[in-house]
Amino acid sequence: MRANGPFSANGDAAGGRVAVAFNPAAQAAVAKPRVLFSVSRGLATIADSWYDMGTLYFPDASVLDPTWLPHTGQVWMATNAWSVGSLSVVGLVRLTPDDFRLTVSNDLVVSGAAARLELGGNQVVTNIGVGLNYLMSGTNGPRVTVGGNLTLTNGGTLLVFAGMTNAATTNWGALVDVAGDVNFGNASWIYPYSHPTNGGSVQFRMRNLTCPTNAGFCADYRGFSGGWGNSPHTTGWGQGAPAGLVAGGGYGGRGADYSTTMGGWPYGSITNPVDPGSGGSGEAGVNGGNAGGLVWIVASGQVTMNGTLGADGAYGGDGAGSAAA
Amino acid sequence: MNLVCGTLAGSNGLLRANGGSTLNSAGGGGRIAVTATNLATQAGLPIRA
């Protein structure tokens, strides 16, 4: 079943919508169907990162086979939970509902150049700066529990969009809790997105982490949002946001001034940083740069890092900088 | 960037949290904290902020 966006030389079309209304109890009692669902975005010669795939709606996940997940689309369900034995993702699947709880008793594997598992990201950010935070989770970000290992290989990627921080308890905005090991293969990446206005970020827990060259965690440009360049122009977001327009955001160090407008100040912890960087401010017609996000790893065992952990700030156009976390 | 682990090893890894560049007012650098009980192979693991 497909409702894909069309090919275009310039403009990029979004995917459509597919809704399948089945009886959950009856569906759970029969074999998993081998039916491919696809609402991919169109393929454009000139691509941008804004246009998105469409939506797939099911009453619950009983129509999805966790050992065969080649679908493409934002998956919306009436329930916010899915518990499986093992999960193998080879398609492009965004488990979208707010406060989504994915529980995998054994291993979670994302394998293949086209394989991408996205968690959260149910809201579109409209007044963003320069960067990649075009989606965000709402109040409650996703939680993932894996009883075995999490493996990303052959180009497989995992995107996690944090909700607002639950600072009163453990301070994270999304949680990926792996009882076993996190293993990266070649060209495989995890992209943690901080909440662009609240700063809630993703915490990853595991036993051991093994990462080869050309793989790792990339939180570049995925921190607090930069200011908006369209009227009304805004300063960047975050505790280290600049005092006025055009100036740069701060975090570990101070952001740059612009004329008499002061850049953002340092904030957060030296020994236990749990914040993303603050965005740079916008000016007329130019968005501020988004800040670097937060790579937050808690491993009880060994981390073998031959790849990259990145959290750089984004280029701020003509008028604003950004900080990294 | 907040990395807590029992041990840290690596031969060619990179941890970075650099500020964004711009024509007028760039961002400050970020933060990196590595809390490990044993830095097994610190050499060859550049850390930049």
Side-chain angles (χ1 to χ4, degrees):
Chain A
M1 303 175 68
R2 56 181 162 78
N4 301 317
F7 172 82
S8 169
N10 294 314
D12 310 323
R17 297 188 189 276
V18 169
V20 182
F22 53 81
N23 182 309
Q27 186 67 50
V30 301
K32 300 288 186 185
R34 285 272 164 154
V35 177
L36 173 66
F37 304 100
S38 179
V39 284
S40 72
R41 62 185 194 178
L43 301 173
T45 303
I46 302 174
D48 69 51
S49 60
W50 293 69
Y51 72 124
D52 204 356
M53 55 190 176
T55 58
L56 300 170
Y57 177 80
F58 312 112
D60 67 11
S62 58
V63 75
L64 300 176
D65 183 348
T67 66
W68 184 77
L69 211 62
H71 315 295
T72 298
Q74 310 174 37
V75 176
W76 292 81
M77 294 184 281
T79 175
N80 70 339
W82 190 22
S83 296
V84 298
S86 298
L87 181 60
S88 177
V89 179
V90 295
L92 202 174
V93 176
R94 181 183 306 152
L95 299 174
T96 314
D98 194 49
D99 198 22
F100 194 80
R101 315 292 179 93
L102 174 62
T103 303
V104 183
S105 302
N106 299 311
D107 293 341
L108 169 55
V109 177
V110 183
S111 178
R116 192 163 87 184
L117 176 62
E118 303 183 357
L119 296 155
N122 51 40
Q123 297 185 17
V124 176
V125 182
T126 56
N127 57 341
I128 67 167
V130 177
L132 298 169
N133 298 32
Y134 61 97
L135 293 173
M136 64 179 184
S137 291
T139 302
N140 300 300
R143 300 184 194 185
V144 182
T145 302
V146 180
N149 299 322
L150 167 60
T151 299
L152 301 137
T153 187
N154 299 320
T157 54
L158 171 66
L159 281 67
V160 185
F161 297 89
M164 296 181 182
T165 176
N166 60 352
T169 54
T170 56
N171 228 21
W172 40 260
L175 177 64
V176 178
D177 190 355
V178 180
D181 302 336
V182 174
N183 301 307
F184 285 89
N186 182 51
S188 297
W189 293 87
I190 291 177
Y191 297 94
Y193 286 73
S194 297
H195 192 284
T197 61
N198 170 273
S201 297
V202 187
Q203 186 186 71
F204 294 87
R205 301 175 185 168
M206 67 209 68
R207 182 175 54 193
N208 301 310
L209 170 63
T210 302
C211 184
T213 301
N214 192 28
F217 287 71
C218 180
D220 294 344
Y221 326 146
R222 293 170 171 86
F224 276 111
S225 176
W228 205 15
N230 294 323
S231 182
H233 318 306
T234 62
T235 59
W237 294 85
Q239 301 97 308
L245 301 180
V246 188
Y251 183 34
R254 191 174 177 280
D257 297 342
Y258 177 74
S259 185
T260 59
T261 301
M262 298 178 72
W265 292 92
Y267 60 95
S269 170
I270 295 173
T271 58
N272 184 33
V274 293
D275 301 294
S278 293
S281 291
E283 64 166 342
V286 182
N287 292 332
N290 282 359
L294 174 64
V295 177
W296 190 1
I297 298 169
V298 179
S300 60
Q302 177 157 301
V303 173
T304 303
M305 180 51 57
N306 296 315
T308 300
L309 304 182
D312 287 356
Y315 177 80
D318 186 39
S322 62
Chain B
M1 183 179 299
N2 193 341
L3 175 57
V4 179
C5 55
T7 56
L8 176 62
S11 59
N12 193 32
L14 168 65
L15 277 64
R16 56 173 167 74
N18 304 309
S21 301
T22 178
L23 292 178
N24 287 324
S25 45
R31 296 189 186 278
I32 292 176
V34 179
T35 306
T37 55
N38 175 30
L39 295 180
T41 311
Q42 191 170 15
L45 188 70
I47 298 175
R48 303 170 187 152

